[in-house]
PDB file of all heavy atoms in Angstrom:
ATOM      1  N   LYS A 659      20.100  30.219 -24.795  1.00 97.00           N
ATOM      2  CA  LYS A 659      18.648  30.151 -24.995  1.00 97.00           C
ATOM      3  C   LYS A 659      17.947  30.924 -23.887  1.00 97.00           C
ATOM      4  O   LYS A 659      18.259  30.743 -22.704  1.00 97.00           O
ATOM      5  CB  LYS A 659      18.169  28.704 -24.979  1.00 97.00           C
ATOM      6  CG  LYS A 659      18.723  27.853 -26.114  1.00 97.00           C
ATOM      7  CD  LYS A 659      18.193  26.417 -26.010  1.00 97.00           C
ATOM      8  CE  LYS A 659      18.725  25.552 -27.128  1.00 97.00           C
ATOM      9  NZ  LYS A 659      18.237  24.153 -27.032  1.00 97.00           N
ATOM     10  N   ILE A 660      17.003  31.769 -24.275  1.00 96.00           N
ATOM     11  CA  ILE A 660      16.240  32.553 -23.310  1.00 96.00           C
ATOM     12  C   ILE A 660      14.763  32.223 -23.467  1.00 96.00           C
ATOM     13  O   ILE A 660      14.207  32.325 -24.560  1.00 96.00           O
ATOM     14  CB  ILE A 660      16.484  34.055 -23.495  1.00 96.00           C
ATOM     15  CG1 ILE A 660      17.966  34.374 -23.282  1.00 96.00           C
ATOM     16  CG2 ILE A 660      15.624  34.863 -22.513  1.00 96.00           C
ATOM     17  CD1 ILE A 660      18.332  35.809 -23.576  1.00 96.00           C
ATOM     18  N   PHE A 661      14.158  31.827 -22.351  1.00 96.00           N
ATOM     19  CA  PHE A 661      12.747  31.452 -22.320  1.00 96.00           C
ATOM     20  C   PHE A 661      11.989  32.411 -21.408  1.00 96.00           C
ATOM     21  O   PHE A 661      12.566  33.007 -20.492  1.00 96.00           O
ATOM     22  CB  PHE A 661      12.563  30.033 -21.757  1.00 96.00           C
ATOM     23  CG  PHE A 661      13.332  28.953 -22.465  1.00 96.00           C
ATOM     24  CD1 PHE A 661      14.684  28.747 -22.196  1.00 96.00           C
ATOM     25  CD2 PHE A 661      12.698  28.112 -23.374  1.00 96.00           C
ATOM     26  CE1 PHE A 661      15.393  27.737 -22.832  1.00 96.00           C
ATOM     27  CE2 PHE A 661      13.404  27.097 -24.004  1.00 96.00           C
ATOM     28  CZ  PHE A 661      14.749  26.907 -23.741  1.00 96.00           C
ATOM     29  N   THR A 662      10.688  32.537 -21.643  1.00 93.00           N
ATOM     30  CA  THR A 662       9.823  33.272 -20.722  1.00 93.00           C
ATOM     31  C   THR A 662       8.578  32.436 -20.451  1.00 93.00           C
ATOM     32  O   THR A 662       8.242  31.530 -21.217  1.00 93.00           O
ATOM     33  CB  THR A 662       9.383  34.639 -21.294  1.00 93.00           C
ATOM     34  OG1 THR A 662       8.572  34.430 -22.462  1.00 93.00           O
ATOM     35  CG2 THR A 662      10.579  35.506 -21.644  1.00 93.00           C
ATOM     36  N   ARG A 663       7.936  32.761 -19.356  1.00 92.00           N
ATOM     37  CA  ARG A 663       6.626  32.145 -19.084  1.00 92.00           C
ATOM     38  C   ARG A 663       5.831  33.034 -18.152  1.00 92.00           C
ATOM     39  O   ARG A 663       6.396  33.835 -17.390  1.00 92.00           O
ATOM     40  CB  ARG A 663       6.777  30.742 -18.509  1.00 92.00           C
ATOM     41  CG  ARG A 663       7.181  30.655 -17.055  1.00 92.00           C
ATOM     42  CD  ARG A 663       7.121  29.210 -16.585  1.00 92.00           C
ATOM     43  NE  ARG A 663       7.627  29.052 -15.227  1.00 92.00           N
ATOM     44  CZ  ARG A 663       7.830  27.879 -14.661  1.00 92.00           C
ATOM     45  NH1 ARG A 663       7.602  26.770 -15.335  1.00 92.00           N
ATOM     46  NH2 ARG A 663       8.272  27.791 -13.432  1.00 92.00           N
ATOM     47  N   LYS A 664       4.525  32.900 -18.216  1.00 89.00           N
ATOM     48  CA  LYS A 664       3.641  33.682 -17.368  1.00 89.00           C
ATOM     49  C   LYS A 664       3.695  33.151 -15.942  1.00 89.00           C
ATOM     50  O   LYS A 664       3.916  31.965 -15.708  1.00 89.00           O
ATOM     51  CB  LYS A 664       2.211  33.627 -17.900  1.00 89.00           C
ATOM     52  CG  LYS A 664       2.030  34.310 -19.252  1.00 89.00           C
ATOM     53  CD  LYS A 664       0.582  34.241 -19.720  1.00 89.00           C
ATOM     54  CE  LYS A 664       0.403  34.939 -21.066  1.00 89.00           C
ATOM     55  NZ  LYS A 664      -1.000  34.857 -21.548  1.00 89.00           N
ATOM     56  N   VAL A 665       3.482  34.063 -15.000  1.00 87.00           N
ATOM     57  CA  VAL A 665       3.466  33.721 -13.584  1.00 87.00           C
ATOM     58  C   VAL A 665       2.111  34.121 -13.020  1.00 87.00           C
ATOM     59  O   VAL A 665       1.621  35.225 -13.288  1.00 87.00           O
ATOM     60  CB  VAL A 665       4.593  34.451 -12.825  1.00 87.00           C
ATOM     61  CG1 VAL A 665       4.495  34.184 -11.327  1.00 87.00           C
ATOM     62  CG2 VAL A 665       5.947  34.021 -13.352  1.00 87.00           C
ATOM     63  N   ALA A 666       1.503  33.217 -12.259  1.00 87.00           N
ATOM     64  CA  ALA A 666       0.186  33.488 -11.696  1.00 87.00           C
ATOM     65  C   ALA A 666       0.203  34.750 -10.845  1.00 87.00           C
ATOM     66  O   ALA A 666       1.144  34.992 -10.078  1.00 87.00           O
ATOM     67  CB  ALA A 666      -0.260  32.293 -10.849  1.00 87.00           C
ATOM     68  N   ASN A 667      -0.825  35.563 -10.994  1.00 82.00           N
ATOM     69  CA  ASN A 667      -1.011  36.793 -10.219  1.00 82.00           C
ATOM     70  C   ASN A 667       0.100  37.821 -10.436  1.00 82.00           C
ATOM     71  O   ASN A 667       0.408  38.615  -9.542  1.00 82.00           O
ATOM     72  CB  ASN A 667      -1.122  36.465  -8.727  1.00 82.00           C
ATOM     73  CG  ASN A 667      -2.253  35.509  -8.414  1.00 82.00           C
ATOM     74  OD1 ASN A 667      -3.353  35.643  -8.936  1.00 82.00           O
ATOM     75  ND2 ASN A 667      -1.978  34.522  -7.565  1.00 82.00           N
ATOM     76  N   SER A 668       0.719  37.792 -11.614  1.00 79.00           N
ATOM     77  CA  SER A 668       1.758  38.764 -11.934  1.00 79.00           C
ATOM     78  C   SER A 668       1.684  39.123 -13.405  1.00 79.00           C
ATOM     79  O   SER A 668       1.475  38.257 -14.259  1.00 79.00           O
ATOM     80  CB  SER A 668       3.151  38.203 -11.607  1.00 79.00           C
ATOM     81  OG  SER A 668       4.151  39.109 -12.014  1.00 79.00           O
ATOM     82  N   SER A 669       1.880  40.401 -13.714  1.00 77.00           N
ATOM     83  CA  SER A 669       1.903  40.839 -15.115  1.00 77.00           C
ATOM     84  C   SER A 669       3.303  40.722 -15.702  1.00 77.00           C
ATOM     85  O   SER A 669       3.501  40.912 -16.899  1.00 77.00           O
ATOM     86  CB  SER A 669       1.425  42.293 -15.214  1.00 77.00           C
ATOM     87  OG  SER A 669       2.272  43.145 -14.455  1.00 77.00           O
ATOM     88  N   ILE A 670       4.290  40.422 -14.855  1.00 81.00           N
ATOM     89  CA  ILE A 670       5.680  40.297 -15.283  1.00 81.00           C
ATOM     90  C   ILE A 670       6.011  38.830 -15.519  1.00 81.00           C
ATOM     91  O   ILE A 670       5.747  37.979 -14.662  1.00 81.00           O
ATOM     92  CB  ILE A 670       6.644  40.886 -14.237  1.00 81.00           C
ATOM     93  CG1 ILE A 670       6.234  42.313 -13.872  1.00 81.00           C
ATOM     94  CG2 ILE A 670       8.078  40.834 -14.740  1.00 81.00           C
ATOM     95  CD1 ILE A 670       6.276  43.283 -15.026  1.00 81.00           C
TER      96      ILE A 670
END
Side-chain angles (χ1 to χ4, degrees):
K659 296 180 180 179
I660 299 174
F661 304 80
T662 64
R663 76 173 174 189
K664 294 181 179 179
V665 175
N667 302 317
S668 176
S669 60
I670 308 298

